[in-house]
Amino acid sequence: MLSEQLFSSICGPPLAANTAVSKDVGIYTHSVNPSWAVKATFKKSSAPPHSLAVSDTHVFAAQDQKAHVHVYSRLRGTQEALVPFQERIRCLTLAGDVLVLGTAEGRLMLWETCTGRQVTTPPCHVQAVSCLAVTPYHVLSASEDSNINVWSLARLLELGADPGHGPDLALSNHRGAITDLVVGPSTNAETNLCVSASKDKTCILWNYRSGQVLRTLLFPAAPLCISLDPCARALFVSAEDGGLYLVELFGDKPLLGSRSAELASIVVQVDAPLGVADDDAGPASCLVLNCDGTAVFTSHAKGKILRWSLTDGGHPSEMANLNAPVTNLVFVPFMPDHKPCRTATVVKPNQTQRQYTFTTQLKGHLNGTGKFGEMLNSTGIHSQALENAMLSISAPTSGAEDDSKLLKENEELRAIIEEQRALQKATMQYQEGNTA
């Protein structure tokens, strides 16, 4: 049976003298189904919100108020490296094998974990970078200065490019610090959706390629963390008042798209929460949905991880109490995208180096059954080759109009060739007469 894995991290000292919780553990791996259980732990980590990233081989955790990132090997279950940087790291995320980091000085740092190459931008925000979001083609950085910058990932990683260039676009409609940022799964320029949450009690839906504000949502309290469902049809918001809010983007009254009856400039008031967490949980620091969007999990300042039921009146159930502020939740997809290689050992970043060694581990068999291997090892003629030959024979011939055009072109070429031959013959005769 497929089992979803949820990674969680804590930040800060224990809240109480609880001997049931292991000491020095900073990151947990939980099995969500068929039953909740702790599968693995990683020690000596204190990661603030938006500072945990998980790949298929490693776990990356920025450390609170420090310029360090701890790297843990999922395969060996131990800490692999402690990576220092020049500035304090406030948030991080993964874009493939590239770790994107936001600093307290408002910069972006990109670290290629396979080569050790590091790219650093100038200060792109006037305050600290508070959260990051990535797509296959873009990096979005949000800050406490209330602005969001959109960067081209290819431009940032281009070899020999000037690292001093600025972002492609700036989104600046908020009036307070950005608390969270998420992007939708679409890569079409017309449907590039991102959602930002701010302390000004609003969430704004953007087209981050054009900079257009698609809709502004106003909440009774400041939204702290947000998440889109896997199809980007609904937005989940956890606010300072402990409420979990559900906003359907394409419901009976669509907020987006051609069926929306209101102008994008009209602010939508969101009043009724789906449910409210108990006071002993504390404010939420992170919100995630499982892979099929049927369950919502929130982490809280008083050590609890809550699971919200979407069909049972929205009352949350407590899944775990880690006895310290839980700051991050990250789901690992149980059906990840196929990649031909993976990072077995990370290479520490080096900003001054100009020559790099690509270190990776190939996945699968090198003598795999590719098309050439199948045709080489088949008895007689391969069935696919026979099928392609039969299809080419039975394919309809070109029309009479195309044939006549080809014949006409052939006649013109023949006339040109005959003319060249006659000219060559006359030239040879002329030269022979002069020689005699």
Side-chain angles (χ1 to χ4, degrees):
M1 181 178 180
L2 293 176
S3 177
E4 293 178 296
Q5 286 190 343
L6 177 66
F7 280 77
S8 65
S9 70
I10 62 174
C11 181
L15 299 174
N18 189 345
T19 58
V21 179
S22 302
K23 295 182 178 180
D24 296 332
V25 175
I27 300 173
Y28 296 82
T29 306
H30 309 273
S31 173
V32 176
N33 50 31
S35 62
W36 181 274
V38 175
K39 292 296 184 181
T41 58
F42 301 94
K43 294 186 176 182
K44 297 180 180 179
S45 178
S46 182
H50 309 293
S51 297
L52 183 70
V54 182
S55 70
D56 55 349
T57 57
H58 290 87
V59 178
F60 302 88
Q63 300 305 295
D64 188 34
Q65 300 297 321
K66 294 182 180 180
H68 295 158
V69 172
H70 289 187
V71 182
Y72 300 90
S73 172
R74 292 181 59 187
L75 305 178
R76 293 183 289 271
T78 57
Q79 183 174 344
E80 182 174 308
L82 188 151
V83 183
F85 290 90
Q86 294 80 16
E87 299 175 11
R88 286 183 295 136
I89 307 300
R90 286 292 304 273
C91 54
L92 57 79
T93 188
L94 273 171
D97 291 326
V98 178
L99 188 69
V100 185
L101 308 104
T103 74
E105 303 298 325
R107 301 178 192 271
L108 288 187
M109 295 182 182
L110 287 85
W111 167 28
E112 290 182 350
T113 58
C114 290
T115 65
R117 178 173 174 242
Q118 179 182 331
V119 177
T120 303
T121 69
C124 52
H125 295 281
V126 296
Q127 295 186 44
V129 180
S130 56
C131 46
L132 297 164
V134 296
T135 74
Y137 309 105
H138 293 88
V139 175
L140 283 72
S141 61
S143 170
E144 295 175 356
D145 64 6
S146 77
N147 294 325
I148 302 167
N149 289 336
V150 182
W151 306 77
S152 168
L153 185 58
R155 285 182 58 196
L156 288 172
L157 295 176
E158 182 180 0
L159 290 172
D162 179 16
H165 66 74
D168 297 348
L169 193 65
L171 313 177
S172 56
N173 275 47
H174 280 295
R175 297 296 179 266
I178 308 296
T179 56
D180 205 356
L181 180 68
V182 294
V183 294
S186 174
T187 56
N188 187 298
E190 299 296 326
T191 56
N192 286 141
L193 173 68
C194 81
V195 186
S196 57
S198 171
K199 289 184 178 180
D200 60 9
K201 297 185 179 181
T202 65
C203 285
I204 298 182
L205 284 67
W206 311 79
N207 182 322
Y208 63 84
R209 292 288 297 277
S210 64
Q212 178 185 3
V213 175
L214 304 177
R215 185 66 69 179
T216 301
L217 309 175
L218 180 61
F219 293 86
L224 299 178
C225 43
I226 58 178
S227 182
L228 286 167
D229 82 320
C231 297
R233 298 185 61 86
L235 175 68
F236 293 85
V237 179
S238 185
E240 276 186 342
D241 59 3
L244 176 68
Y245 295 84
L246 169 61
V247 181
E248 294 189 18
L249 306 182
F250 301 95
D252 296 334
K253 295 181 179 180
L255 302 180
L256 304 177
S258 59
R259 293 178 57 235
S260 176
E262 298 177 339
L263 298 175
S265 58
I266 297 178
V267 177
V268 176
Q269 181 76 41
V270 182
D271 293 321
L274 182 69
V276 179
D278 297 333
D279 293 338
D280 60 353
S285 57
C286 186
L287 183 154
V288 293
L289 274 75
N290 66 341
C291 298
D292 59 4
T294 59
V296 181
F297 294 84
T298 55
S299 60
H300 295 263
K302 295 186 179 179
K304 293 186 178 182
I305 299 177
L306 302 182
R307 176 173 180 164
W308 300 76
S309 173
L310 303 181
T311 59
D312 190 20
H315 186 73
S317 57
E318 181 178 328
M319 306 303 297
N321 190 337
L322 304 183
N323 197 34
V326 185
T327 50
N328 293 279
L329 297 176
V330 178
F331 263 108
V332 178
F334 53 78
M335 296 184 66
D337 296 334
H338 173 72
K339 296 192 300 183
C341 58
R342 65 180 180 180
T343 306
T345 303
V346 299
V347 180
K348 289 188 176 183
N350 190 329
Q351 195 170 12
T352 60
Q353 188 174 346
R354 291 296 177 263
Q355 293 182 347
Y356 306 96
T357 301
F358 181 76
T359 304
T360 190
Q361 184 181 71
L362 298 177
K363 297 172 63 177
H365 299 287
L366 295 180
N367 57 347
T369 56
K371 184 177 180 181
F372 177 77
E374 289 182 358
M375 297 182 69
L376 182 65
N377 297 321
S378 63
T379 303
I381 301 177
H382 192 261
S383 58
Q384 185 64 43
L386 283 174
E387 183 178 348
N388 293 337
M390 294 173 65
L391 289 174
S392 64
I393 294 173
S394 61
T397 58
S398 57
E401 183 178 351
D402 294 338
D403 292 344
S404 61
K405 184 178 180 181
L406 289 175
L407 290 173
K408 183 177 180 182
E409 291 179 354
N410 289 339
E411 293 296 333
E412 292 176 353
L413 289 174
R414 289 195 186 96
I416 294 173
I417 292 172
E418 293 297 332
E419 182 180 352
Q420 294 296 324
R421 286 178 177 174
L423 179 61
Q424 184 182 15
K425 184 177 180 181
T427 303
M428 295 295 294
Q429 291 176 352
Y430 177 76
Q431 290 179 350
E432 289 176 359
N434 289 340
T435 303

